[in-house]
Amino acid sequence: MDRDALAAFLLRRRAALQPADVGLSAGPRRRTAGLRREEVAHLAAMSTDYYTRLEQRRGPQPSTQMLASVARALRLTADERDYLYRVAGHDAPDRAARTDHIAPGLLRVLDRLTDTPALILSALGETLVQNGPARALFGDTSRLTGFERSNIYRWFANPDQERQRYPAHDHDRQSRAQVASLRVAYGRLGAESRAGELVRELSRRSPEFARLWDEHEVRRRFDDHKVLVHPELGEIEVDCQALFTEDESQVLLVLTAAPRTEAASKLDLLAVLGTQRLVAEG
């Protein structure tokens, strides 16, 4: 572990970011160049004291989980993320394997979406990050671990809970869309990848999945139009826009409603609910 290089790198990257770059308000009488330490710590879901010790060349070697959180908070590129791992005394993650490192370009767009549900997903439907309205609509699924983090897995392994967000008449169509999108990831990543592991696990657990998998449908899961069910607000009719990274490993999904409709009013309420829950969590 190169403490000097780690501390200098963190300090420089923090100074290079402005609050607006990460969706924060600058506020009055701001003297700090770039982000404050407490802002980076908040974005990384760690204590300010822990992050401060990293910049001051103190404390224990950070874990790979901590480094992944710091890389996300500082909006590091893949090359910068790899450097962070190495100066902290760890091997850089295998880019071909599953990774939770989020494309900075998608994060910058997400940071600016505060009034409508938006989330970034992996190719396996794993929620990597959500904004407040998305948490209010879907619950906080980014904190789940293992296969539970994948909405494809939850759809078939926990149908009684996961399918409550969709009208009953739409369940079959959604099942087919989930399987067809996993087939896309499976074809790109291969049978020995995490996509292959997910296929084998769901084939074992769900006869419905096994039957649909044998049909070999291949297409992305994002529909242009759908109805979602919120436990407090009821049905919400939304349009879905998807923005993929160049390698198609991650996607930013944005849900919107036509202006001046009941659905648009409900999304406005979701934004308020999301803000209230963020304050409560903080």
Side-chain angles (χ1 to χ4, degrees):
M1 178 177 174
D2 187 337
R3 293 182 183 276
D4 290 341
L6 175 61
F9 180 70
L10 292 176
L11 181 61
R12 288 288 186 178
R13 297 313 308 152
R14 178 168 64 84
L17 286 174
Q18 296 302 314
D21 297 333
V22 296
L24 298 176
S25 172
R29 293 183 297 181
R30 188 179 189 89
R31 299 177 181 178
T32 303
L35 296 182
R36 299 186 178 104
R37 284 171 176 165
E38 58 266 29
E39 291 170 333
V40 176
H42 173 74
L43 292 169
M46 63 179 58
S47 72
T48 302
D49 178 67
Y50 184 92
Y51 179 78
T52 299
R53 282 184 288 161
L54 292 180
E55 283 199 3
Q56 293 179 344
R57 303 168 178 82
R58 300 186 292 116
Q61 180 187 34
S63 67
T64 56
Q65 290 83 3
M66 285 293 190
L67 293 173
S69 296
V70 171
R72 182 181 305 174
L74 293 175
R75 306 305 194 249
L76 300 185
T77 65
D79 288 338
E80 290 169 336
R81 185 273 317 266
D82 290 353
Y83 177 81
L84 174 68
Y85 273 66
R86 291 183 178 117
V87 296
H90 294 282
D91 292 332
D94 182 357
R95 297 194 191 186
R98 173 181 177 269
T99 176
D100 289 344
H101 180 66
I102 303 173
L106 292 189
L107 271 177
R108 285 193 292 271
V109 177
L110 180 68
D111 288 336
R112 287 156 176 76
L113 296 171
T114 59
D115 60 349
T116 197
L119 59 163
I120 298 176
L121 304 172
S122 74
L124 302 185
E126 298 159 308
T127 304
L128 302 179
V129 64
Q130 304 163 278
N131 66 5
R135 279 190 288 272
L137 180 58
F138 297 109
D140 189 353
T141 55
S142 65
R143 297 183 182 276
L144 298 175
T145 60
F147 284 135
E148 285 286 342
R149 199 172 187 184
S150 166
N151 59 33
I152 303 173
Y153 176 85
R154 298 193 307 272
W155 182 266
F156 292 100
N158 306 312
D160 291 342
Q161 178 178 351
E162 187 66 16
R163 300 188 186 191
Q164 293 178 6
R165 299 295 184 185
Y166 289 84
H169 64 78
D170 199 32
H171 288 181
D172 181 66
R173 184 176 68 93
Q174 291 298 326
S175 292
R176 290 182 174 277
Q178 296 279 21
V179 175
S181 72
L182 180 54
R183 179 70 73 173
V184 173
Y186 181 88
R188 183 170 63 86
L189 299 174
E192 299 308 312
S193 67
R194 186 169 173 79
E197 294 176 11
L198 181 55
V199 169
R200 289 187 287 275
E201 178 66 14
L202 286 177
S203 296
R204 182 183 66 83
R205 291 181 62 103
S206 171
E208 178 191 14
F209 175 87
R211 173 178 58 81
L212 292 173
W213 185 254
D214 285 342
E215 295 185 12
H216 288 263
E217 293 185 26
V218 185
R219 67 177 184 277
R220 301 200 181 281
R221 67 184 176 279
F222 303 115
D223 301 304
D224 292 333
H225 193 79
K226 65 175 66 176
V227 175
L228 296 170
V229 181
H230 186 269
E232 300 169 40
L233 304 179
E235 292 190 353
I236 307 176
E237 196 170 347
V238 297
D239 294 310
C240 304
Q241 288 78 39
L243 176 63
F244 288 87
T245 54
E246 185 175 359
D247 62 2
E248 300 183 350
S249 63
Q250 295 176 4
V251 60
L252 170 63
L253 185 64
V254 184
L255 307 179
T256 61
R260 297 176 296 281
T261 62
E262 181 182 6
S265 297
K266 289 181 177 180
L267 289 186
D268 289 341
L269 286 174
L270 273 180
V272 174
L273 288 173
T275 301
Q276 290 174 343
R277 290 177 185 181
L278 279 175
V279 172
E281 289 171 3

